[in-house]
Every structure is written in structure tokens, then in C-alpha cells.
Amino acid sequence: EMTRLTLAIVGRTLFGLDLSRQSDRAAAAFGAALVAIGRRGPGKLQVPLWVPTPGNLRFQRTLHELDALVFEVIARFRAGEAPDADSTLLGAYLESRSPVTGLGMGDRQLRDEVITLYLAGHETTASLLSWTLYLLGRHPDIQARVRAEIDALMPGGLPSLEQLKSLQYMSQVVHEVLRLYPPAWTVARNAVAEDEVMRYRVPAGAIVMISPYFAHRQAEVWPQPERFDPERFPPAAVAARHPFAYFPFSLGPRICIGMQFSLYAARLVLSMLLKRFEIHSTGGAQVGTCAAPE
């Protein structure tokens, strides 16, 4: 349900289109693509995509499905189905011109931009919302405090951006969820020069895997790291912590471009849900966790 919702949000906000009828196809295709990409991760045998292995054939079918979805979005947009086309990101892409050549984006570049926005704009937010609902269902006291803040600061209907910014405790809850269950549990970076990290030599050009999931569970930085505790994130505590202790959206010049979009979308959805519903955990099962490596 959260995936369908966030796909609809991306369609309306970035493309100006109602993509609800495509949500099941898109969710299935993106899910299959993420699994396939995970199987081709660093440290694994990289079989060239042209080799017709069963896995490669599945991946190629998935890419064809994603291309069909994305080119359908572009075609609908160009056909005038987006009533506010000029105010959308896709509209800006179509109007953009290279300062060097004066040319606009070709279909392939436009496809690459759209598919990135389509995937990154919904998958991380859906994951964040799902884990938040799971944890609020298991912690009714924290849920009650979030709801009280919403009722106090948002007595009316749809909240404004300023009202969303004022939800300090909800922000702490969201950041604690991201600490425990970052949507991207690991990120990859290329070493631009030779280095040494914790006595390990890192050659230039190596792929370095960095894991927010494990970094966020270091007990010397996060006491009782498996405990869900939004009190880790009031402004004073955040300012006192090392800036690299917490990075659910990565850090530096390559930090996730959609970070603020995801955080505000999550606050908006949670505000509207918790004004109408109480979240209850169904059954006693608890999701397990992986211990941080030594």
C-alpha cells in the first residue's frame, strides 16, 4: 500500500500525471530490477548481460518493462495529459537546453532521468513509511505523542509546509526509523586515490561499500542501538554527535538529491494517516536484525 501511494505521489508531483493505474506494474518491475541489481553487486561474479543466463534474461525482461512504463509516462506528458506541465520537473527537463550545443535531452537521456526519479522518488519513501508504521504499531506511547503533536499543530485539514516543518517530535521519530532501517542499507563509492582505512589498504579505483545499517548500530555512538528511541534526535543531541555517525541518505556532494522530498512526503502521509487512524501491530512477530560486524 505504501508503494502504491508513493508511486502516485511521484506521478502527481514530478510528472503531473495520475499514475495509479500503473502502480502495480511499476512496483513489480522496480522490485524485480532491484533484486537483479543486488545479485550483481560488488564482490560477485559479473556475468556479461549479453550472456543468455536465466538471471540475465529475467533482468532484460525487467528492463524492457521499465522502459515501457517510462516511455508511456513521457508520451502521456507530451500528449498534454499533465494539466500543470510547466510547473513539473519533467516539464523542466523537456524545456532544458545544453549551454554548449543548444540541444535538448534525447529520448535516452530523458528516459534515464525519469527512471531515476521514478525509482528514487518512491521506493525509499515507501520503505520509510512501512517501517514507521511497523514501529508505531509496536510503540503505542510514541504513537500517541506523535498524534498529540499533530492535533496541536494541525487542527485543520491539509497541512501547510510550515506546519510540516514544525513537527519536531515526528521528525525525531522519522530519523530514528531511518537510523534503524535505512532504505539503502549500503552505498558504494569509488576510491579516487589510494588510502588506508582501519589498517586496510584501499587501492585507487576500488569500490568501497559503506553501510548505514551497521554504522547506525555502533554501541559506542548509539547506546542500546537496537532500541527504538526518538529521543536520540532532538536538535541538541544531533549537534553534539559526529556528523558522519548518521547517514541514511549518504553524505557529501553525492547525498541523495531526493532527501527533502522523501522526508516531507513521509511527514505529510503520516500526518494524514494518524489524524484518521490508530496503528496497531497485528500479531506478536518482531522483525529480526543483523549484528554489526566487529
Side-chain angles (χ1 to χ4, degrees):
E1 291 301 326
M2 293 302 100
T3 298
R4 291 191 187 99
L5 175 60
T6 55
L7 280 169
I9 291 171
V10 166
R12 292 288 296 275
T13 55
L14 299 185
F15 309 136
L17 296 169
D18 179 3
L19 301 180
S20 56
R21 69 188 182 196
Q22 296 165 294
S23 62
D24 287 341
R25 281 174 61 207
F30 278 125
L34 289 170
V35 169
I37 291 168
R39 288 175 177 158
R40 296 181 58 81
K44 299 180 181 179
L45 178 63
Q46 300 287 345
V47 179
L49 285 175
W50 56 264
V51 178
T53 65
N56 280 352
L57 292 173
R58 284 194 300 271
F59 191 35
Q60 295 288 3
R61 286 194 295 270
T62 299
L63 289 179
H64 288 313
E65 176 68 10
L66 288 174
D67 279 347
L69 284 165
V70 169
F71 284 122
E72 182 180 335
V73 168
I74 295 170
R76 289 177 59 192
F77 192 92
R78 283 177 164 158
E81 291 189 34
D84 301 313
D86 293 341
S87 62
T88 65
L89 193 55
L90 183 52
Y93 279 156
L94 287 169
E95 293 296 323
S96 66
R97 295 293 180 268
S98 167
V100 177
T101 66
L103 299 176
M105 287 188 185
D107 283 349
R108 185 67 190 183
Q109 184 180 0
L110 192 60
R111 173 265 186 202
D112 291 348
E113 296 289 348
V114 170
I115 206 168
T116 300
L117 291 169
Y118 208 169
L119 172 61
H122 89 275
E123 198 264 343
T124 53
T125 309
S127 174
L128 168 56
L129 286 167
S130 299
W131 285 117
T132 303
L133 295 176
Y134 165 75
L135 288 166
L136 290 179
R138 297 188 64 85
H139 297 84
D141 54 330
I142 293 175
Q143 181 182 164
R145 184 172 168 184
V146 174
R147 183 176 290 104
E149 181 183 57
I150 294 168
D151 291 341
L153 297 175
M154 298 180 179
L158 286 173
S160 66
L161 184 61
E162 291 304 314
Q163 285 176 316
L164 291 176
K165 289 180 180 179
S166 69
L167 294 171
Q168 175 58 42
Y169 188 68
M170 181 189 285
S171 177
Q172 292 176 211
V173 168
V174 167
H175 282 296
E176 176 67 346
V177 174
L178 287 167
R179 181 188 72 83
L180 284 168
Y181 302 110
W185 74 272
T186 186
V187 294
R189 291 292 182 265
N190 291 324
V192 297
E194 185 173 330
D195 205 345
E196 183 175 308
V197 180
M198 298 175 68
R199 303 188 304 279
Y200 289 93
R201 175 180 169 270
V202 180
I207 296 177
V208 180
M209 304 301 294
I210 306 163
S211 175
Y213 183 94
F214 289 127
H216 295 171
R217 282 171 164 74
Q218 299 298 316
E220 62 269 27
V221 181
W222 309 96
Q224 295 182 273
E226 300 297 336
R227 183 164 59 93
F228 177 55
D229 182 10
E231 293 304 324
R232 302 180 200 269
F233 285 95
V238 172
R241 229 172 358 248
H242 192 286
F244 290 173
Y246 174 74
F247 52 101
F249 293 96
S250 189
L251 287 167
R254 297 290 182 178
I255 195 169
C256 175
I257 195 172
M259 177 178 69
Q260 293 300 332
F261 180 90
S262 178
L263 291 174
Y264 279 116
R267 288 188 217 179
L268 176 60
V269 170
L270 291 169
S271 297
M272 303 312 292
L273 279 176
L274 293 175
K275 282 178 78 72
R276 292 168 171 78
F277 304 103
E278 289 184 6
I279 311 300
H280 295 274
S281 178
T282 56
Q286 183 169 354
V287 175
T289 58
C290 297
E294 296 296 331

